[in-house]
Coordinates of all heavy atoms in Angstrom, one line a residue:
A282 N 56.6 174.4 144.7 CA 57.7 174.3 143.8 C 57.4 174.6 142.4 O 58.1 175.3 141.7 CB 58.3 172.9 143.9
L283 N 56.2 174.2 141.9 CA 55.8 174.4 140.5 C 55.5 175.9 140.3 O 55.7 176.4 139.2 CB 54.7 173.5 140.1 CG 55.0 172.1 140.0 CD1 53.7 171.3 139.7 CD2 56.1 171.8 139.0
R284 N 55.0 176.6 141.3 CA 54.5 178.0 141.1 C 55.6 179.0 141.4 O 55.6 180.1 141.0 CB 53.3 178.3 141.9 CG 52.1 177.5 141.5 CD 50.9 177.9 142.3 NE 49.8 177.0 141.9 CZ 48.6 177.0 142.5 NH1 48.4 177.8 143.5 NH2 47.7 176.2 142.1
I285 N 56.6 178.6 142.2 CA 57.6 179.6 142.7 C 59.0 179.2 142.1 O 59.6 180.0 141.4 CB 57.7 179.6 144.2 CG1 56.3 180.1 144.8 CG2 58.8 180.5 144.7 CD1 56.2 180.1 146.3
K286 N 59.5 178.0 142.4 CA 60.8 177.7 142.0 C 61.0 177.5 140.5 O 62.0 178.1 139.9 CB 61.3 176.4 142.7 CG 61.5 176.6 144.2 CD 62.0 175.3 144.8 CE 62.2 175.5 146.3 NZ 62.7 174.3 146.9
I287 N 60.1 176.8 139.8 CA 60.3 176.6 138.4 C 60.2 177.9 137.6 O 61.1 178.1 136.7 CB 59.2 175.6 137.9 CG1 59.3 174.3 138.6 CG2 59.3 175.5 136.4 CD1 60.6 173.6 138.3
P288 N 59.3 178.8 137.9 CA 59.4 180.1 137.1 C 60.6 180.9 137.4 O 61.1 181.6 136.5 CB 58.1 180.9 137.6 CG 57.2 179.8 138.1 CD 58.0 178.7 138.6
L289 N 61.2 180.8 138.6 CA 62.4 181.5 138.9 C 63.6 181.0 138.2 O 64.5 181.7 137.8 CB 62.7 181.5 140.4 CG 61.8 182.4 141.2 CD1 62.1 182.2 142.7 CD2 62.0 183.8 140.9
I290 N 63.7 179.6 138.0 CA 64.8 179.1 137.3 C 64.6 178.8 135.8 O 65.4 178.2 135.1 CB 65.3 177.8 138.0 CG1 64.2 176.7 138.0 CG2 65.7 178.1 139.4 CD1 64.7 175.3 138.4
M291 N 63.4 179.1 135.3 CA 63.1 178.9 133.9 C 64.1 179.5 132.9 O 64.5 178.8 132.0 CB 61.7 179.4 133.6 CG 61.2 179.0 132.2 SD 61.3 177.2 131.9 CE 59.9 176.7 132.8
P292 N 64.6 180.7 133.1 CA 65.6 181.2 132.2 C 66.9 180.4 132.2 O 67.4 180.1 131.1 CB 65.9 182.6 132.7 CG 64.7 183.0 133.4 CD 64.1 181.8 134.0
S293 N 67.3 179.9 133.3 CA 68.4 179.0 133.4 C 68.2 177.7 132.7 O 69.1 177.1 132.0 CB 68.8 178.8 134.8 OG 69.2 180.0 135.4
L294 N 67.0 177.2 132.8 CA 66.6 175.9 132.2 C 66.6 176.0 130.7 O 67.1 175.2 129.9 CB 65.3 175.4 132.7 CG 65.2 174.9 134.1 CD1 63.7 174.6 134.5 CD2 66.1 173.8 134.4
V295 N 66.1 177.1 130.2 CA 66.0 177.4 128.7 C 67.4 177.5 128.2 O 67.8 177.0 127.1 CB 65.2 178.6 128.4 CG1 65.3 179.0 127.0 CG2 63.7 178.3 128.8
L296 N 68.3 178.3 128.9 CA 69.6 178.5 128.4 C 70.4 177.2 128.4 O 71.1 176.9 127.4 CB 70.4 179.5 129.4 CG 71.8 179.8 129.1 CD1 71.9 180.7 127.9 CD2 72.5 180.4 130.3
T297 N 70.2 176.4 129.4 CA 70.9 175.1 129.5 C 70.4 174.2 128.4 O 71.2 173.4 127.8 CB 70.7 174.4 130.9 OG1 71.1 175.3 131.9 CG2 71.4 173.1 131.0
F298 N 69.1 174.2 128.1 CA 68.6 173.3 127.1 C 69.2 173.7 125.7 O 69.6 172.8 124.9 CB 67.0 173.5 127.0 CG 66.4 172.8 125.8 CD1 66.3 171.5 125.7 CD2 66.0 173.6 124.7 CE1 65.7 170.9 124.6 CE2 65.4 173.0 123.6 CZ 65.3 171.6 123.6
F299 N 69.2 175.0 125.4 CA 69.7 175.4 124.1 C 71.2 175.1 123.9 O 71.7 174.6 122.9 CB 69.4 176.9 123.8 CG 68.0 177.1 123.3 CD1 67.1 177.7 124.1 CD2 67.6 176.7 122.0 CE1 65.8 177.9 123.7 CE2 66.3 176.8 121.6 CZ 65.4 177.4 122.4
F300 N 72.0 175.4 125.0 CA 73.4 175.2 124.9 C 73.7 173.7 124.8 O 74.6 173.3 124.1 CB 74.1 175.8 126.1 CG 74.3 177.3 125.9 CD1 74.7 178.1 127.0 CD2 74.1 178.0 124.8 CE1 74.9 179.4 126.9 CE2 74.2 179.3 124.6 CZ 74.6 180.1 125.7
S301 N 73.0 172.9 125.5 CA 73.2 171.4 125.5 C 72.8 170.9 124.1 O 73.5 170.0 123.6 CB 72.3 170.7 126.5 OG 72.7 171.1 127.8
T302 N 71.8 171.4 123.5 CA 71.4 171.0 122.2 C 72.5 171.3 121.1 O 72.9 170.5 120.3 CB 70.1 171.6 121.7 OG1 69.1 171.3 122.7 CG2 69.6 171.1 120.4
I303 N 73.0 172.5 121.2 CA 74.1 173.0 120.3 C 75.3 172.2 120.6 O 76.0 171.7 119.6 CB 74.3 174.5 120.4 CG1 73.1 175.2 119.9 CG2 75.6 174.9 119.7 CD1 73.1 176.7 120.2
A304 N 75.7 171.9 121.8 CA 76.9 171.1 122.1 C 76.7 169.7 121.7 O 77.7 169.1 121.2 CB 77.2 171.2 123.6
T305 N 75.5 169.1 121.7 CA 75.3 167.8 121.3 C 75.5 167.7 119.8 O 76.1 166.7 119.3 CB 73.9 167.3 121.6 OG1 73.7 167.4 123.0 CG2 73.6 165.9 121.1
L306 N 75.1 168.7 119.0 CA 75.3 168.7 117.6 C 76.8 168.7 117.3 O 77.2 168.2 116.2 CB 74.6 169.9 116.9 CG 73.1 169.8 116.8 CD1 72.6 171.1 116.3 CD2 72.7 168.7 115.9
Q307 N 77.6 169.4 118.1 CA 79.0 169.6 117.8 C 80.0 168.6 118.5 O 81.2 168.8 118.3 CB 79.4 171.0 118.1 CG 78.6 172.0 117.3 CD 78.9 173.5 117.7 OE1 79.6 173.7 118.7 NE2 78.5 174.4 116.9
V308 N 79.5 167.6 119.2 CA 80.4 166.7 119.9 C 81.2 165.9 118.9 O 80.6 165.4 117.9 CB 79.7 165.9 120.9 CG1 78.8 164.9 120.3 CG2 80.7 165.2 121.9
F309 N 82.5 165.8 119.0 CA 83.3 164.9 118.1 C 84.5 164.3 118.8 O 84.7 163.1 118.7 CB 83.8 165.8 117.0 CG 84.7 165.0 116.0 CD1 84.2 164.1 115.2 CD2 86.1 165.2 116.1 CE1 85.0 163.3 114.3 CE2 86.9 164.4 115.2 CZ 86.4 163.5 114.4
A310 N 85.2 165.0 119.6 CA 86.5 164.5 120.2 C 86.2 163.4 121.2 O 87.0 162.4 121.1 CB 87.2 165.6 120.9
E311 N 85.2 163.5 122.0 CA 85.0 162.5 123.0 C 84.6 161.1 122.5 O 85.3 160.1 122.8 CB 83.9 162.9 124.0 CG 84.3 164.1 124.9 CD 84.1 165.5 124.2 OE1 83.6 165.5 123.0 OE2 84.3 166.5 124.8
P312 N 83.7 161.0 121.5 CA 83.4 159.7 121.0 C 84.5 159.1 120.1 O 84.7 157.9 120.2 CB 82.1 160.0 120.1 CG 81.7 161.3 120.4 CD 82.7 162.0 121.1
M313 N 85.3 160.0 119.5 CA 86.4 159.5 118.7 C 87.5 159.0 119.6 O 88.2 158.0 119.2 CB 86.9 160.6 117.7 CG 86.0 160.9 116.6 SD 85.6 159.4 115.5 CE 87.1 159.3 114.7
T314 N 87.7 159.6 120.7 CA 88.7 159.1 121.7 C 88.2 157.8 122.3 O 89.1 156.9 122.5 CB 88.9 160.1 122.8 OG1 89.3 161.4 122.2 CG2 90.0 159.7 123.7
L315 N 87.0 157.6 122.6 CA 86.5 156.4 123.3 C 86.1 155.3 122.3 O 85.9 154.2 122.7 CB 85.2 156.8 124.1 CG 85.5 157.7 125.3 CD1 84.2 158.1 125.9 CD2 86.4 157.1 126.3
R316 N 86.0 155.6 121.0 CA 85.6 154.6 120.0 C 86.5 153.3 120.0 O 86.0 152.2 119.9 CB 85.5 155.2 118.7 CG 84.8 154.3 117.7 CD 84.5 155.0 116.4 NE 83.6 154.3 115.5 CZ 83.8 153.1 115.1 NH1 84.9 152.4 115.4 NH2 83.0 152.5 114.2
P317 N 87.8 153.4 120.1 CA 88.6 152.2 120.1 C 88.4 151.3 121.3 O 88.8 150.2 121.3 CB 90.1 152.8 120.1 CG 90.0 154.1 119.6 CD 88.6 154.6 120.0
L318 N 87.9 151.9 122.4 CA 87.7 151.1 123.6 C 86.4 150.3 123.7 O 86.3 149.5 124.6 CB 87.8 152.1 124.8 CG 89.1 152.9 125.0 CD1 89.0 153.9 126.1 CD2 90.3 152.0 125.2
T319 N 85.5 150.6 122.8 CA 84.2 150.0 122.9 C 83.7 149.7 121.5 O 84.0 150.4 120.5 CB 83.2 150.8 123.6 OG1 81.9 150.1 123.7 CG2 83.0 152.2 123.0
N320 N 82.8 148.7 121.4 CA 82.2 148.4 120.1 C 80.8 149.0 119.9 O 80.2 148.9 118.9 CB 82.1 146.9 119.9 CG 83.4 146.2 119.8 OD1 84.4 146.8 119.3 ND2 83.5 145.0 120.2
S321 N 80.3 149.7 121.0 CA 79.0 150.2 121.0 C 78.8 151.6 120.3 O 77.7 152.0 120.0 CB 78.4 150.3 122.4 OG 79.2 151.2 123.1
L322 N 79.9 152.3 120.0 CA 79.8 153.6 119.3 C 79.9 153.4 117.8 O 81.0 152.9 117.3 CB 80.9 154.5 119.8 CG 80.8 155.1 121.2 CD1 82.0 155.9 121.5 CD2 79.5 155.9 121.3
S323 N 78.9 153.7 117.1 CA 78.9 153.6 115.7 C 79.5 154.8 115.0 O 79.8 155.8 115.7 CB 77.5 153.3 115.1 OG 76.8 154.5 115.2
W324 N 79.8 154.7 113.7 CA 80.4 155.9 113.0 C 79.4 157.0 112.9 O 79.8 158.1 112.6 CB 80.8 155.5 111.7 CG 82.2 154.8 111.7 CD1 82.4 153.5 111.6 CD2 83.4 155.4 111.8 NE1 83.8 153.2 111.7 CE2 84.4 154.4 111.8 CE3 83.9 156.8 112.0 CZ2 85.8 154.7 111.9 CZ3 85.2 157.0 112.1 CH2 86.1 156.0 112.1
T325 N 78.1 156.8 113.1 CA 77.1 157.9 113.0 C 76.6 158.2 114.4 O 75.4 158.7 114.5 CB 76.0 157.4 112.1 OG1 75.4 156.2 112.6 CG2 76.5 157.2 110.7
W326 N 77.3 158.0 115.4 CA 76.8 158.3 116.8 C 76.6 159.8 117.0 O 75.6 160.2 117.6 CB 77.8 157.8 117.8 CG 77.3 157.9 119.2 CD1 76.5 157.0 119.8 CD2 77.7 158.9 120.2 NE1 76.2 157.4 121.1 CE2 77.0 158.5 121.4 CE3 78.5 160.0 120.2 CZ2 77.0 159.3 122.5 CZ3 78.6 160.7 121.3 CH2 77.9 160.4 122.5
S327 N 77.4 160.6 116.4 CA 77.2 162.1 116.4 C 77.3 162.6 115.0 O 77.9 162.0 114.1 CB 78.2 162.8 117.3 OG 79.4 162.9 116.7
P328 N 76.7 163.8 114.7 CA 76.7 164.3 113.3 C 78.1 164.5 112.8 O 78.4 164.2 111.6 CB 76.0 165.6 113.4 CG 75.1 165.4 114.6 CD 75.8 164.6 115.6
Y329 N 79.1 165.0 113.6 CA 80.4 165.2 113.1 C 81.2 163.9 112.9 O 82.1 163.9 112.1 CB 81.2 166.1 114.0 CG 80.9 167.6 113.7 CD1 80.5 168.5 114.7 CD2 81.0 168.1 112.5 CE1 80.2 169.8 114.5 CE2 80.7 169.4 112.2 CZ 80.3 170.2 113.2 OH 80.0 171.5 112.9
M330 N 80.8 162.8 113.6 CA 81.4 161.5 113.3 C 81.0 161.0 111.9 O 81.8 160.4 111.2 CB 81.1 160.5 114.4 CG 81.8 160.8 115.7 SD 81.3 159.6 117.0 CE 82.1 158.1 116.4
K331 N 79.7 161.3 111.5 CA 79.3 161.0 110.2 C 80.0 161.8 109.2 O 80.4 161.3 108.1 CB 77.8 161.3 110.1 CG 77.2 160.9 108.7 CD 75.8 161.3 108.6 CE 75.2 161.1 107.2 NZ 76.1 161.1 106.0
V332 N 80.3 163.1 109.4 CA 81.0 163.9 108.5 C 82.4 163.3 108.4 O 82.9 163.2 107.2 CB 81.1 165.4 109.0 CG1 82.1 166.2 108.2 CG2 79.7 166.0 109.0
Y333 N 83.1 163.0 109.5 CA 84.4 162.4 109.4 C 84.4 161.1 108.6 O 85.3 160.9 107.8 CB 84.9 162.2 110.8 CG 86.3 161.5 110.9 CD1 87.4 162.3 110.8 CD2 86.4 160.2 111.1 CE1 88.7 161.8 110.9 CE2 87.7 159.6 111.1 CZ 88.8 160.4 111.0 OH 90.0 159.8 111.1
R334 N 83.5 160.2 108.9 CA 83.4 159.0 108.2 C 83.2 159.2 106.7 O 83.9 158.6 105.8 CB 82.2 158.1 108.7 CG 82.2 156.7 108.0 CD 80.9 156.0 108.1 NE 79.9 156.8 107.5 CZ 78.7 156.6 107.5 NH1 78.2 155.6 108.3 NH2 77.8 157.4 106.9
D335 N 82.3 160.1 106.3 CA 82.0 160.4 104.9 C 83.2 160.9 104.2 O 83.5 160.6 103.1 CB 80.8 161.3 104.7 CG 79.5 160.7 105.1 OD1 79.5 159.4 105.3 OD2 78.5 161.4 105.2
A336 N 83.9 161.8 104.9 CA 85.1 162.5 104.2 C 86.3 161.7 104.2 O 87.0 161.6 103.1 CB 85.4 163.8 104.9
F337 N 86.7 161.0 105.3 CA 88.0 160.4 105.4 C 88.0 158.9 105.3 O 89.0 158.3 104.9 CB 88.7 160.8 106.6 CG 88.9 162.3 106.7 CD1 88.2 163.1 107.6 CD2 89.7 163.0 105.8 CE1 88.4 164.5 107.7 CE2 89.9 164.3 105.8 CZ 89.2 165.1 106.8
V338 N 86.9 158.2 105.6 CA 86.8 156.8 105.5 C 86.2 156.3 104.2 O 86.8 155.5 103.5 CB 86.0 156.2 106.7 CG1 85.8 154.7 106.6 CG2 86.6 156.5 108.0
Q339 N 85.2 157.0 103.8 CA 84.5 156.6 102.5 C 84.9 157.5 101.3 O 84.5 157.1 100.2 CB 83.0 156.6 102.7 CG 82.5 155.6 103.7 CD 81.0 155.7 103.9 OE1 80.3 156.6 103.5 NE2 80.4 154.6 104.4
G340 N 85.5 158.6 101.6 CA 86.0 159.4 100.5 C 84.9 160.3 99.9 O 85.1 160.8 98.8
G341 N 83.8 160.5 100.5 CA 82.7 161.3 100.0 C 82.8 162.7 100.5 O 82.0 163.1 101.4
L342 N 83.7 163.5 99.9 CA 83.8 164.8 100.4 C 82.6 165.7 100.2 O 82.3 166.6 101.0 CB 85.0 165.5 99.7 CG 86.4 164.9 100.0 CD1 87.5 165.5 99.2 CD2 86.7 165.0 101.5
H343 N 81.9 165.5 99.1 CA 80.7 166.3 98.8 C 79.6 166.0 99.9 O 78.9 166.9 100.4 CB 80.2 166.0 97.4 CG 81.2 166.4 96.4 ND1 81.6 167.7 96.2 CD2 81.8 165.6 95.5 CE1 82.5 167.7 95.2 NE2 82.6 166.4 94.8
S344 N 79.4 164.7 100.2 CA 78.4 164.4 101.2 C 78.8 164.9 102.6 O 78.0 165.4 103.3 CB 78.3 162.9 101.3 OG 77.5 162.5 102.4
A345 N 80.1 164.8 102.9 CA 80.6 165.4 104.2 C 80.4 166.9 104.3 O 80.0 167.4 105.3 CB 82.0 165.0 104.4
A346 N 80.7 167.6 103.2 CA 80.5 169.0 103.1 C 79.1 169.4 103.3 O 78.7 170.4 104.0 CB 81.1 169.6 101.9
A347 N 78.2 168.7 102.6 CA 76.8 169.0 102.7 C 76.3 168.8 104.1 O 75.5 169.6 104.7 CB 76.0 168.1 101.7
T348 N 76.7 167.7 104.8 CA 76.3 167.4 106.1 C 76.8 168.5 107.1 O 76.1 168.9 108.0 CB 76.8 166.0 106.6 OG1 76.3 165.1 105.7 CG2 76.2 165.7 108.0
A349 N 78.0 168.9 106.9 CA 78.6 170.0 107.8 C 77.9 171.3 107.6 O 77.6 172.0 108.6 CB 80.1 170.2 107.4
V350 N 77.5 171.6 106.4 CA 76.7 172.8 106.2 C 75.3 172.7 106.8 O 74.9 173.7 107.5 CB 76.5 173.1 104.6 CG1 75.5 174.2 104.4 CG2 77.9 173.5 104.1
V351 N 74.7 171.6 106.8 CA 73.4 171.4 107.4 C 73.5 171.5 109.0 O 72.7 172.2 109.6 CB 72.8 170.0 107.1 CG1 71.6 169.7 108.0 CG2 72.4 170.0 105.6
I352 N 74.6 171.0 109.5 CA 74.9 171.1 111.0 C 75.1 172.6 111.3 O 74.6 173.1 112.3 CB 76.1 170.3 111.4 CG1 75.7 168.8 111.3 CG2 76.5 170.6 112.8 CD1 76.9 167.9 111.4
A353 N 75.8 173.3 110.5 CA 76.1 174.7 110.7 C 74.8 175.5 110.7 O 74.5 176.4 111.5 CB 77.1 175.3 109.8
V354 N 73.9 175.2 109.7 CA 72.7 175.9 109.6 C 71.7 175.6 110.8 O 71.1 176.6 111.3 CB 72.0 175.6 108.2 CG1 70.5 176.1 108.2 CG2 72.7 176.2 107.1
V355 N 71.7 174.4 111.2 CA 70.8 174.0 112.4 C 71.4 174.8 113.6 O 70.6 175.3 114.4 CB 70.8 172.5 112.6 CG1 70.2 172.1 113.9 CG2 70.0 171.8 111.5
T356 N 72.7 174.8 113.8 CA 73.3 175.5 114.9 C 73.0 177.0 114.9 O 72.6 177.6 115.9 CB 74.8 175.3 115.0 OG1 75.0 173.9 115.0 CG2 75.4 175.9 116.2
L357 N 73.1 177.6 113.7 CA 72.8 179.0 113.5 C 71.3 179.3 113.8 O 71.0 180.2 114.5 CB 73.1 179.4 112.1 CG 72.9 180.9 111.7 CD1 74.0 181.7 112.4 CD2 72.9 181.1 110.2
V358 N 70.4 178.4 113.3 CA 69.0 178.6 113.6 C 68.7 178.5 115.1 O 67.9 179.3 115.6 CB 68.1 177.6 112.7 CG1 66.7 177.6 113.2 CG2 68.2 178.0 111.3
L359 N 69.2 177.5 115.7 CA 69.0 177.4 117.2 C 69.6 178.6 117.9 O 68.9 179.1 118.9 CB 69.7 176.1 117.7 CG 69.0 174.8 117.4 CD1 69.8 173.6 117.8 CD2 67.6 174.8 118.1
S360 N 70.7 179.1 117.5 CA 71.3 180.2 118.2 C 70.5 181.5 118.0 O 70.2 182.2 119.0 CB 72.7 180.5 117.7 OG 73.6 179.4 117.9
F361 N 70.0 181.7 116.8 CA 69.2 182.9 116.6 C 67.8 182.8 117.2 O 67.2 183.7 117.7 CB 69.1 183.2 115.1 CG 70.2 184.0 114.6 CD1 71.0 183.5 113.6 CD2 70.5 185.3 115.0 CE1 72.1 184.2 113.1 CE2 71.6 186.0 114.5 CZ 72.4 185.4 113.6
G362 N 67.3 181.5 117.3 CA 66.0 181.3 118.0 C 66.1 181.6 119.4 O 65.3 182.2 120.0
F363 N 67.2 181.2 120.0 CA 67.5 181.4 121.4 C 67.6 182.9 121.7 O 67.1 183.5 122.6 CB 68.7 180.7 121.9 CG 69.1 181.0 123.3 CD1 68.3 180.6 124.4 CD2 70.2 181.8 123.6 CE1 68.6 180.9 125.7 CE2 70.5 182.1 124.9 CZ 69.7 181.7 126.0
L364 N 68.3 183.6 120.8 CA 68.5 185.1 120.9 C 67.2 185.8 120.8 O 66.9 186.7 121.6 CB 69.4 185.6 119.8 CG 69.8 187.0 119.9 CD1 70.6 187.3 121.1 CD2 70.7 187.4 118.6
K365 N 66.3 185.4 119.9 CA 65.0 186.0 119.8 C 64.1 185.7 121.1 O 63.5 186.7 121.6 CB 64.2 185.4 118.6 CG 64.6 186.0 117.3 CD 63.5 185.9 116.4 CE 63.6 186.8 115.2 NZ 63.1 188.1 115.4
V366 N 64.2 184.5 121.6 CA 63.5 184.2 122.9 C 64.0 185.1 124.0 O 63.2 185.7 124.8 CB 63.6 182.7 123.3 CG1 63.1 182.5 124.7 CG2 62.9 181.9 122.3
V367 N 65.3 185.3 124.1 CA 65.8 186.1 125.2 C 65.5 187.6 125.0 O 65.1 188.2 126.0 CB 67.4 185.9 125.3 CG1 68.0 186.9 126.2 CG2 67.7 184.5 125.7
N368 N 65.6 188.0 123.8 CA 65.2 189.4 123.5 C 63.8 189.7 123.8 O 63.4 190.8 124.3 CB 65.6 189.9 122.1 CG 67.1 190.1 122.0 OD1 67.8 190.3 123.0 ND2 67.6 190.0 120.8
R369 N 62.9 188.8 123.4 CA 61.5 189.0 123.6 C 61.1 189.0 125.1 O 60.4 189.8 125.6 CB 60.7 187.8 123.0 CG 59.2 188.1 123.0 CD 58.4 187.0 122.3 NE 59.0 186.5 121.1 CZ 59.1 185.2 120.7 NH1 58.6 184.3 121.6 NH2 59.6 184.9 119.6
R370 N 61.8 188.1 125.9 CA 61.5 188.1 127.3 C 62.1 189.4 128.0 O 61.5 189.9 128.9 CB 62.2 186.9 127.9 CG 61.5 185.6 127.5 CD 61.8 184.4 128.3 NE 60.9 184.4 129.4 CZ 61.0 183.6 130.4 NH1 62.0 182.8 130.5 NH2 60.2 183.6 131.4
A371 N 63.2 189.9 127.5 CA 63.8 191.1 128.1 C 62.9 192.3 127.7 O 62.7 193.2 128.6 CB 65.2 191.3 127.5
A372 N 62.3 192.3 126.5 CA 61.4 193.4 126.1 C 60.1 193.4 126.9 O 59.6 194.4 127.2 CB 61.1 193.3 124.6
E373 N 59.7 192.2 127.3 CA 58.4 192.1 128.1 C 58.6 192.6 129.5 O 57.7 193.2 130.1 CB 57.9 190.7 128.1 CG 57.4 190.2 126.8 CD 57.1 188.7 126.9 OE1 57.3 188.0 127.9 OE2 56.6 188.1 125.9
R374 N 59.8 192.4 130.0 CA 60.1 192.8 131.4 C 60.5 194.3 131.5 O 60.4 194.9 132.6 CB 61.2 192.0 132.0 CG 60.8 190.6 132.1 CD 61.9 189.7 132.8 NE 61.5 188.4 132.8 CZ 62.1 187.4 133.4 NH1 63.3 187.7 133.9 NH2 61.7 186.2 133.4
T375 N 60.9 194.9 130.5 CA 61.4 196.3 130.5 C 60.1 197.2 130.3 O 59.4 197.1 129.3 CB 62.4 196.6 129.4 OG1 63.5 195.7 129.5 CG2 62.9 198.0 129.5
P376 N 59.9 198.1 131.2 CA 58.7 199.0 131.1 C 58.9 200.1 130.0 O 59.8 200.5 129.5 CB 58.5 199.7 132.4 CG 59.8 199.4 133.2 CD 60.5 198.4 132.5

C-alpha cells in the first residue's frame, strides 16, 4: 500500500490538503449559524469570525480590515504555492 497506492493518490491528497486549508481560512457562515445553539464556539473560532467581531461588535474597522488583508494574503500565497507545486510536477513528467 505504501509503495503503490499512496504514490498513485498523492496528487489527490495534496490537492485536498490545499483546498481544505484554504476553505478552513474562509469558513464563516456555518459557525455563525450554529453559534446561537451552543456556547462552545467563541468569536475567534475562525479568522472571519474574528473579522466580524472586530468590525461589527467592537467597532474596530481598522483591525478587521488588517485581519481580512492578512487572510487574503495567506490564501493567495497558498494558492500560488499549490500552483507552483502542480506546475513543477507537470514539468517533471513531461519529456
Side-chain angles (χ1 to χ4, degrees):
L283 293 176
R284 292 184 187 172
I285 296 171
K286 289 183 181 181
I287 299 298
L289 286 174
I290 63 169
M291 188 57 74
S293 298
L294 292 174
V295 171
L296 178 74
T297 304
F298 170 76
F299 279 109
F300 283 168
S301 296
T302 304
I303 291 170
T305 301
L306 287 173
Q307 296 179 349
V308 69
F309 177 75
E311 294 84 358
M313 287 303 285
T314 303
L315 297 174
R316 193 170 190 304
L318 302 175
T319 181
N320 293 332
S321 63
L322 287 176
S323 70
W324 279 103
T325 58
W326 189 78
S327 77
Y329 277 127
M330 288 178 70
K331 180 187 178 330
V332 171
Y333 178 84
R334 185 200 61 190
D335 289 350
F337 300 112
V338 175
Q339 295 180 344
L342 293 176
H343 300 295
S344 173
T348 306
V350 168
V351 168
I352 293 169
V354 168
V355 168
T356 304
L357 182 74
V358 167
L359 285 173
S360 298
F361 278 117
F363 176 71
L364 185 64
K365 281 206 164 269
V366 168
V367 169
N368 285 339
R369 187 179 320 136
R370 294 193 87 189
E373 290 173 359
R374 292 183 183 185
T375 306

